Amino acid sequence: MSALDDLLTCLRFPSVSTDSKHRQDVRACALWLQEKLTKMGLSTELHDTPGHPILIAKNAHRPDRRTVLLYGHYDVQPAEPFAEWQTPPFEPILREGRIYCRGATDNKGQLMAHVSGLAETLRQEGDLPVNLTILFEGEEEIGSPNLKPFLEAHHAELACDVVAISDTGMVGEGVGTFTYGLRGIACMEVKVKGPSIDLHSGIFGGAVANPVTMAARLIASLHDAEGRVMIPGFYDGVRDLQAWERQAWASLGDGEPETLSLTGAPELFGEPGYSERERRWARPTAEVNGMGGGYQGEGSKTVIAREAFFKLSFRLVPDQDPARILRLAEDYLRSQAPASVRLEFKPGHTGKAYLMDPHSPLGLAAQRALQHTFGGQVALIREGGSIPIVQAFKDVLKADTILVGLALPDCQAHAPNENFPVASFEAGIRLNQALLKELAQA
Ligand code: BES
Ligand code: ZN
């Protein structure tokens, strides 16, 4: 079986972690991966958790070698809205050199590049240059709720010198990209409750507060007109960008045209005083990811709904603390709400931001592997997305994480028609081989 066939097989599992009806599919994907790694001669263990399984695999560790922990996630985001896919989301198909399927980029294409890279090195050399520990999880897309406790319980078996992950982006096709920072995240859901029953808006309208209106006011109170977050204390402790990184990012060229074309937005918008890359990679944000309440059907219905809701996520940067941000947000929203409604808060997943020194010996080793694989200059970037477990690797295992992702700007991760070029997959296989060699020697 070729590496590409293996990737296609992995992609066919609809391993959607958030959806309980896919529970068995998530497990089946983990079992398939376990069998694959076992056949490669690694010793494997599948650990059940209250959620989805964690797969651990190792070669024989020797005291004279460096230990590398490879992390990836085999769960995927839901495929909805189905109607916007050109082909069914869990039937991988090759079109113009790209594989289209949910999970093609995030993260199965990148995870399988690791697996196939290892298989190739084992085939060529009979051994790996490092002590390897693989940790593949099935809950990344739901905030890794069971992984930090697992790290804490198994920290001795998972001890390592460095973690390596391919689950981030490249600035462009063929441009080796080293990511030295990720934003953190803190999510919450807010319910705005008014009357105890839905009301006739003619009979009672004007005399009671409308929860949908109040939800809209609360959402609007999160930002000023220019996009700064208005929650008192939100920016406390936010670390400034360093001069060298502002310069390095500016040297990548003007990011605005590409972001305009990728997003289709009529104009860019965001915090004054920062370039669009700086806003996405190094500044904290507050986003509304959903809101609802009231009549959603055809035509009109004159009703005052008894409740409304909205879902928020905050992207965080060093040194913001996710729990503190959720507290500040709750306090602020309560202070903005009139007595005519009651608010209920439900905290969601959280994870701290991550930042490492790209000029450290391990960072430089990873950049040499990227240089070897892609040629040209390696781009040094941070990313706006989050991999919450990365800072936990630092806190629990005391190890830095090397982020060498392969996602292209137009990969459509989390969206319909997600795709991954076969060329990126092949480059990822070579990158994995070069990376282990470089990390072994650094
Ligand atoms: N692979 C992404 C994270 C990512 C995306 C990093 C783009 C860098 C660039 C990951 O699978 C993801 O989507 N994470 C979620 C985490 C959340 C659900 C806790 C995210 O960032 O929204
Ligand atoms: Zn991912």
Side-chain angles (χ1 to χ4, degrees):
M1 248 216 188
S2 75
L4 185 59
D5 287 333
D6 281 339
L7 171 56
L8 299 180
T9 303
C10 184
L11 285 168
R12 286 190 190 100
F13 294 98
S15 49
V16 181
S17 49
T18 195
D19 190 341
S20 55
K21 75 171 187 291
H22 284 300
R23 198 176 167 77
Q24 285 314 319
D25 299 317
V26 180
R27 192 180 173 77
C29 189
L31 287 167
W32 178 82
L33 280 166
Q34 181 178 25
E35 193 188 325
K36 178 88 215 147
L37 296 173
T38 307
K39 280 191 182 147
M40 282 164 52
L42 304 177
S43 63
T44 66
E45 284 171 17
L46 195 67
H47 294 263
D48 282 314
T49 74
H52 301 299
I54 294 169
L55 176 58
I56 302 291
K58 291 185 180 192
N59 62 350
H61 286 198
R62 295 201 321 242
D64 58 327
R65 291 194 300 203
R66 182 160 266 142
T67 303
V68 177
L69 189 147
L70 266 183
Y71 164 91
H73 64 94
Y74 62 87
D75 65 321
V76 300
Q77 287 266 323
E80 285 88 342
F82 295 119
E84 289 183 31
W85 284 81
Q86 286 181 27
T87 50
F90 291 104
E91 293 173 24
I93 186 155
L94 263 167
R95 258 195 331 263
E96 290 163 12
R98 291 190 179 211
I99 305 160
Y100 286 79
C101 191
R102 166 56 81 235
T105 283
D106 189 5
N107 177 229
K108 289 173 175 172
Q110 302 185 71
L111 177 149
M112 287 306 295
H114 279 310
V115 171
S116 297
L118 298 170
E120 191 56 23
T121 301
L122 285 168
R123 201 181 57 77
Q124 290 167 353
E125 327 247 329
D127 196 6
L128 299 172
V130 296
N131 298 329
L132 174 78
T133 302
I134 285 179
L135 192 170
F136 289 161
E137 71 151 323
E139 299 192 312
E140 196 275 345
E141 299 291 5
I142 52 172
S144 306
N146 292 296
L147 189 50
K148 190 162 182 209
F150 181 86
L151 291 189
E152 280 158 353
H154 295 84
H155 65 93
E157 297 132 74
L158 298 173
C160 60
D161 299 301
V162 64
V163 179
I165 305 181
S166 287
D167 193 21
T168 48
M170 297 173 78
V171 296
E173 193 149 14
V175 185
T177 304
F178 182 83
T179 298
Y180 60 92
L182 295 167
R183 286 197 290 192
I185 192 166
C187 301
M188 63 163 45
E189 191 172 332
V190 186
K191 272 199 180 135
V192 183
K193 296 192 159 180
S196 58
I197 50 170
D198 284 4
L199 302 174
H200 189 296
S201 65
I203 299 174
F204 294 105
V208 293
N210 184 322
V212 182
T213 307
M214 291 307 165
R217 293 184 73 95
L218 291 174
I219 290 171
S221 77
L222 288 169
H223 298 94
D224 71 8
E226 291 185 292
R228 294 181 197 86
V229 177
M230 296 294 284
I231 299 169
F234 183 77
Y235 292 102
D236 288 359
V238 164
R239 243 191 268 175
D240 284 335
L241 276 137
Q242 298 170 58
W244 74 263
E245 47 186 349
R246 290 195 106 152
Q247 219 170 32
W249 300 354
S251 79
L252 298 172
D254 180 5
E256 285 204 25
E258 188 187 37
T259 299
L260 276 172
S261 100
L262 284 170
T263 59
E267 192 174 75
L268 298 184
F269 173 81
E271 200 186 357
Y274 297 92
S275 74
E276 69 86 37
R277 282 199 192 94
E278 291 167 357
R279 290 172 188 160
R280 292 189 294 120
W281 295 348
R283 296 296 297 166
T285 61
E287 294 293 348
V288 192
N289 300 124
M291 63 185 295
Y295 181 61
Q296 311 283 324
E298 195 180 335
S300 63
K301 180 185 183 202
T302 48
V303 67
I304 296 174
R306 64 190 174 83
E307 67 177 47
F309 73 89
F310 52 96
K311 293 172 188 252
L312 302 178
S313 62
F314 301 93
R315 293 286 168 169
L316 309 177
V317 301
D319 296 307
Q320 289 174 301
D321 171 46
R324 175 171 176 273
I325 292 297
L326 290 183
R327 254 193 334 268
L328 293 177
E330 176 169 344
D331 291 349
Y332 175 67
L333 290 169
R334 284 196 190 284
S335 78
Q336 297 297 303
S340 49
V341 289
R342 279 173 291 116
L343 302 189
E344 277 179 14
F345 289 83
K346 191 171 147 200
H349 35 249
T350 57
K352 282 192 231 164
Y354 179 70
L355 192 60
M356 57 99 66
D357 175 11
H359 306 108
S360 64
L362 290 168
L364 293 173
Q367 288 164 56
R368 283 195 298 276
L370 286 163
Q371 225 279 327
H372 174 86
T373 307
F374 294 101
Q377 265 224 319
V378 174
L380 294 184
I381 70 165
R382 298 202 221 169
E383 283 274 23
S386 309
I387 309 175
I389 204 61
V390 171
Q391 183 57 38
F393 285 138
K394 182 80 186 171
D395 291 340
V396 180
L397 304 181
K398 314 288 175 219
D400 271 322
T401 294
I402 298 298
L403 295 159
V404 285
L406 303 167
L408 291 185
D410 61 350
C411 68
Q412 315 282 75
H414 294 203
N417 306 307
E418 179 176 351
N419 62 82
F420 191 54
V422 176
S424 297
F425 181 55
E426 290 166 352
I429 294 172
R430 296 194 304 275
L431 174 62
N432 172 278
Q433 299 189 269
L435 182 65
L436 291 194
K437 252 190 213 144
E438 290 291 350
L439 290 178
Q441 293 160 11

